[in-house]
Amino acid sequence: QVQLVQSGAEVKKPGSSVKVSCKASGGTFSSYAISWVRQAPGQGLEWMGGIIPIFGTANYAQKFQGRVTITTDESTSTAYMELSSLRSEDTAVYYCARDCYDILTGCFDYWGQGTLVTVSS
Amino acid sequence: QSALTQPRSVSGSPGQSVTISCTGTSSDVGGYNYVSWYQQHPGKAPKLMIYDVSKRPSGVPDRFSGSKSGNTASLTISGLQAEDEADYYCCSYAGSYTPVVFGGGTKLTVL
């Protein structure tokens, strides 16, 4: 059974960066695209970007271009999402999600448990 | 503002059917057959209910069905049950530049 296990909750100061990890088990890591989706308190789902591990190239939502970096480490089957220049509006639960395919389609069949990132001075 | 437009809320009584719409453009919903629907209960991660417009993952009841006409996709839930009360999100492939877009979400209330 595929599992995505994310790192724990973070509290960050405005202007700093956060790096969240997502470790996959039970499947072939490099065969599927991985995306990061966030959800601010009381708000909807927002796609931030994704990566196809076998190619290593990431694609980001325009809103996050220049602030987000998504990477993978195939040796540990782990994906990472780093968000910089944090502001209070970045307070949200961040999810990693595995695409059903080896391309980014928005079909997410497995999700991590979510990581709460709180940005506060 | 979300890329895909969904009604903020819908409601229905147990046993009834409800349909949630998801309107996009020819650059996303209308242009590809990669439309997915997610169910999210409070405090939980989203769950895939429909993918590729109308396919159901294993384990999802056949009360859930999806369709698409032009730039609008729809999720229909028949035989409503109390446990169907949740938030529902549509999602579509939108091309190689920004591949994935979500709808704003619809809160389903079972009366």
Coordinates of all heavy atoms in Angstrom, one line a residue, chain B residues 2 13 21 28 33 39 41 49-50 61 71 76 79 82 89 96 99:
Chain B
S2 N -10.5 31.4 -7.8 CA -10.1 30.1 -8.3 C -10.2 30.0 -9.8 O -11.1 30.7 -10.4 CB -11.0 29.0 -7.6 OG -10.9 29.0 -6.2
S13 N -31.6 16.0 0.8 CA -32.0 15.1 1.9 C -31.5 13.7 1.6 O -31.2 13.3 0.5 CB -33.6 15.1 1.9 OG -34.0 16.4 2.2
S21 N -21.5 21.4 -10.0 CA -20.9 21.8 -11.2 C -19.6 22.4 -11.1 O -19.2 22.8 -10.0 CB -21.8 22.8 -12.0 OG -22.0 23.9 -11.2
D28 N -8.8 24.3 -20.0 CA -8.7 23.3 -18.9 C -9.8 22.3 -19.0 O -9.6 21.3 -19.7 CB -8.7 24.0 -17.5 CG -9.7 25.2 -17.4 OD1 -10.9 25.0 -17.5 OD2 -9.2 26.3 -17.2
N33 N -9.5 15.5 -20.9 CA -10.3 14.6 -20.1 C -9.6 14.2 -18.8 O -9.7 13.1 -18.4 CB -10.7 13.4 -20.9 CG -11.7 13.7 -22.0 OD1 -12.6 14.5 -21.8 ND2 -11.6 13.0 -23.1
Q39 N -13.3 14.6 -2.3 CA -14.1 14.7 -1.1 C -13.2 15.0 0.1 O -12.2 14.4 0.3 CB -14.9 13.4 -0.8 CG -15.7 13.4 0.4 CD -16.2 12.0 0.8 OE1 -15.5 11.1 1.1 NE2 -17.5 11.8 0.6
H41 N -13.4 15.7 4.3 CA -14.0 15.9 5.6 C -13.2 16.8 6.4 O -11.9 16.8 6.2 CB -14.3 14.6 6.2 CG -15.4 13.8 5.6 ND1 -15.2 12.6 4.9 CD2 -16.7 14.0 5.6 CE1 -16.3 12.1 4.4 NE2 -17.3 12.9 4.8
M49 N -12.4 10.9 -5.6 CA -13.6 10.2 -5.8 C -13.9 9.9 -7.3 O -14.5 8.9 -7.6 CB -14.8 11.1 -5.3 CG -14.6 11.5 -3.8 SD -14.5 10.1 -2.7 CE -16.2 9.6 -2.7
I50 N -13.5 10.8 -8.2 CA -13.6 10.6 -9.6 C -12.4 11.1 -10.3 O -11.8 12.1 -9.9 CB -14.8 11.4 -10.1 CG1 -16.2 10.9 -9.5 CG2 -14.9 11.4 -11.7 CD1 -16.6 9.5 -10.1
P61 N -18.0 4.3 -3.8 CA -19.3 3.7 -4.2 C -19.8 4.2 -5.5 O -19.5 5.3 -6.0 CB -20.2 4.3 -3.1 CG -19.3 4.6 -1.9 CD -18.0 5.0 -2.6
N71 N -17.3 23.1 -21.3 CA -16.4 23.5 -20.3 C -16.8 23.3 -18.9 O -16.2 23.8 -18.0 CB -16.1 25.0 -20.5 CG -15.5 25.4 -21.8 OD1 -14.8 24.5 -22.4 ND2 -15.7 26.6 -22.3
T76 N -22.2 14.0 -9.7 CA -23.5 13.6 -9.2 C -23.4 12.6 -8.1 O -22.7 11.6 -8.2 CB -24.4 13.1 -10.3 OG1 -24.6 14.1 -11.3 CG2 -25.8 12.7 -9.8
G79 N -28.6 8.8 -4.0 CA -28.8 8.1 -2.8 C -28.0 8.7 -1.6 O -27.3 8.0 -0.9
A82 N -25.7 10.4 5.0 CA -25.2 11.4 6.0 C -23.7 11.6 5.9 O -23.2 12.7 6.0 CB -25.6 11.0 7.4
Y89 N -14.2 19.2 -4.2 CA -13.4 20.1 -5.0 C -13.2 19.4 -6.4 O -12.9 18.2 -6.5 CB -12.0 20.3 -4.4 CG -12.0 21.1 -3.1 CD1 -12.1 20.4 -1.9 CD2 -11.9 22.4 -3.2 CE1 -12.1 21.1 -0.7 CE2 -11.9 23.2 -2.0 CZ -12.0 22.5 -0.8 OH -12.0 23.2 0.4
S96 N 0.5 22.6 -20.2 CA 1.9 22.4 -19.7 C 2.4 23.6 -18.9 O 3.3 23.4 -18.1 CB 2.8 22.1 -20.9 OG 2.8 23.2 -21.8
P99 N -0.1 23.2 -15.1 CA -0.8 22.0 -15.3 C -2.1 21.7 -14.5 O -3.0 21.1 -15.0 CB 0.3 20.9 -15.0 CG 1.6 21.6 -15.1 CD 1.3 23.0 -14.6

